Amino acid sequence: MGEIDPAFIQAPEHRPKLAVKEAEGIPVIDLSPLLLSLDHDDDINNSDQIDELVKKIGSACKEWGFFQVINHGAPLESRQKIQDVGKRFFAQSLEEKRKVRRDIKKVMGYYETEHTKNVRDWKEVFDFTMEEPTLIPASIDPEDKEITQWYNQWPEYPPDMRETFQEYAHHMEKLALKLMELIAISLGLAPKRFHGFFKDQTSWIRLNYYPPCPNPDLILGCGRHKDSGALTVLAQDEVSGLEVRRKSDGEWVRVKPEPNAYIINIGDVIQVWSNDEYESVEHRVMLNSEKARLSYPFFLFPSHYTMVQPLEELTNDQNPPKYRPYNWGKFLATRKRSNFMKLDVENIQIYHFKIN
């Protein structure tokens, strides 16, 4: 075996335990009551079944920050197609894939040297945005009001990649917004309370390819992190790898993939909107010494002009806002910039806006 590049090796306290238990208790929630309750305007009609579903969603958000959904209505065929196209894309030579490599100007596309908390991840990725173009601040300077546009880069091969990805993205957006309605109801809000924040969304989808790794005891596919957006909807193949830090005891537990389920997790934006009622949770990706793994998360992100802050309805004198408002576009631009340079300090996080 050749020498492993030290850039990949985790500090001893962050190295994975290979004899990890698969998590008991990460809720698996059946969304069929939601599908049955929708009227011809696609609005949710209240019923005992919906009340029960909302309770389960609220409990999962509070206790885990993660849950899986089944009978979700997203077509399996679209998911199978994106997986097939992803496999064909990543099977190409590095030279071919690098034709659509992202950089500080073209921030979407292929990349193979991503770092999480300044340690290199054992993975390759391909990123694309929902809206084309996606509007974003041109700089991280708070005073600079100039807006720039992000465009996707599409490879020549596979030829059906663009169409397949855009179709899949449409289904993910629909599912994510319905889940946001259930989360809103669980917080005592109107179902569509969050929808206005996503009018000019900055949402995007990533394909993660984790090759087999000779040292899964030293290296992670993706280091520990929390998701910065509102909601993540993750699909994965049959190879497990996702680990969640359990809130009750801080232990890392493996999420067992349910066939055709989506794994949902709360992002930092919901944590701020809910004033810490719901919290985003750290997670990471373990590797396999024999099998490659493919996953494809959809990240629901608000519009660039959104000021993220605790919602008025969820704060009062007894429960004052715990965060100062921050501009989502500037926050996102700052994080994207860090993808192309190794930082001496931790990347921008919501705790930087916490009111002490």
Side-chain angles (χ1 to χ4, degrees):
M1 191 193 83
E3 283 290 306
I4 291 285
D5 182 342
F8 286 109
I9 296 177
Q10 294 284 330
E13 66 272 22
H14 297 307
R15 289 176 190 169
K17 293 176 187 164
L18 297 187
V20 73
K21 287 183 180 174
E22 288 191 329
E24 294 294 324
I26 286 186
V28 178
I29 298 177
D30 184 346
L31 291 185
S32 50
L34 170 68
L35 303 181
L36 293 169
S37 78
L38 297 177
D39 62 22
H40 60 276
D41 292 323
D42 223 20
D43 289 330
I44 298 174
N45 285 316
N46 283 332
S47 65
D48 290 346
Q49 287 85 355
I50 287 294
D51 289 347
E52 193 59 35
L53 177 57
V54 165
K55 273 187 201 151
K56 288 178 183 171
I57 296 267
S59 168
C61 290
K62 198 159 178 61
E63 291 169 26
W64 281 93
F66 266 82
F67 54 95
Q68 298 196 62
V69 294
I70 56 172
N71 298 323
H72 40 66
L76 182 58
E77 182 192 6
S78 178
R79 176 167 168 167
Q80 288 168 333
K81 275 163 53 179
I82 197 174
Q83 190 163 311
D84 172 58
V85 166
K87 282 178 179 170
R88 282 187 281 143
F89 173 77
F90 287 118
Q92 296 180 102
S93 68
L94 196 54
E95 181 186 11
E96 279 300 312
K97 290 180 282 197
R98 280 181 168 165
K99 287 179 181 176
V100 287
R101 193 176 194 263
R102 69 180 202 210
D103 57 37
I104 203 155
K105 290 271 197 301
K106 299 175 183 170
V107 300
M108 293 293 144
Y110 173 77
Y111 205 58
E112 78 289 16
T113 55
E114 186 137 302
H115 291 71
T116 303
K117 302 202 187 294
N118 283 336
V119 181
R120 189 169 164 190
D121 294 327
W122 188 272
K123 68 177 177 184
E124 300 173 37
V125 303
F126 182 89
D127 299 338
F128 71 101
T129 60
M130 276 286 300
E131 303 287 339
E132 198 164 16
T134 289
L135 304 179
I136 209 81
S139 81
I140 63 172
D141 177 357
E143 303 307 314
D144 184 359
K145 305 299 183 207
E146 188 186 346
I147 298 301
T148 190
Q149 297 178 329
W150 286 352
Y151 287 91
N152 290 322
Q153 298 189 80
W154 297 107
E156 289 179 18
Y157 181 87
D160 51 345
M161 190 159 171
R162 181 176 192 162
E163 184 186 343
T164 300
F165 280 25
Q166 288 175 334
E167 180 197 332
Y168 182 77
H170 167 72
H171 296 305
M172 290 304 95
E173 177 191 26
K174 189 175 176 184
L175 175 58
L177 290 175
K178 277 292 157 219
L179 288 166
M180 289 299 290
E181 290 186 35
L182 294 171
I183 290 167
I185 299 168
S186 76
L187 288 165
L189 303 166
K192 295 192 172 164
R193 174 65 175 90
F194 295 118
H195 278 31
F197 296 122
F198 303 106
K199 180 175 174 288
D200 297 304
Q201 63 186 324
T202 53
S203 305
W204 57 291
I205 287 185
R206 160 167 287 179
L207 258 72
N208 290 304
Y209 172 69
Y210 303 98
C213 176
N215 290 88
D217 56 332
L218 301 177
I219 296 170
L220 288 167
C222 184
R224 71 198 192 286
H225 66 286
K226 296 180 179 183
D227 289 353
S228 61
L231 197 73
T232 304
V233 181
L234 173 80
Q236 57 179 0
D237 64 14
E238 68 286 350
V239 181
S240 68
L242 176 67
E243 289 193 337
V244 175
R245 195 189 283 279
R246 188 162 50 198
K247 284 178 73 173
S248 59
D249 58 8
E251 282 293 305
W252 286 105
V253 291
R254 182 80 62 94
V255 180
K256 184 180 179 183
E258 289 276 332
N260 308 327
Y262 285 97
I263 298 170
I264 313 298
N265 66 281
I266 295 299
D268 287 343
V269 167
I270 286 184
Q271 179 166 335
V272 174
W273 279 338
S274 73
N275 207 34
D276 285 352
E277 180 68 19
Y278 297 159
E279 294 176 13
S280 65
V281 171
E282 271 196 321
H283 48 288
R284 65 184 187 182
V285 176
M286 292 263 297
L287 294 159
N288 192 301
S289 59
E290 296 168 5
K291 296 177 184 172
R293 176 174 178 264
L294 203 65
S295 74
Y296 20 109
F298 168 80
F299 299 102
L300 183 68
F301 279 14
S303 57
H304 75 86
Y305 48 78
T306 299
M307 292 302 293
V308 180
Q309 59 193 322
L311 298 180
E312 280 182 28
E313 305 97 301
L314 301 178
T315 57
N316 54 40
D317 291 344
Q318 287 73 45
N319 182 30
K322 294 174 182 169
Y323 297 89
R324 299 191 311 278
Y326 63 92
N327 174 268
W328 172 252
K330 295 292 184 185
F331 184 95
L332 179 58
T334 304
R335 289 183 72 96
K336 276 288 179 196
R337 181 168 158 263
S338 76
N339 284 345
F340 304 102
M341 56 195 75
K342 193 167 175 177
L343 302 175
D344 294 327
V345 295
E346 188 178 25
N347 204 344
I348 191 169
Q349 306 287 350
I350 57 167
Y351 72 74
H352 293 134
F353 301 95
K354 191 101 182 183
I355 297 169
N356 295 323

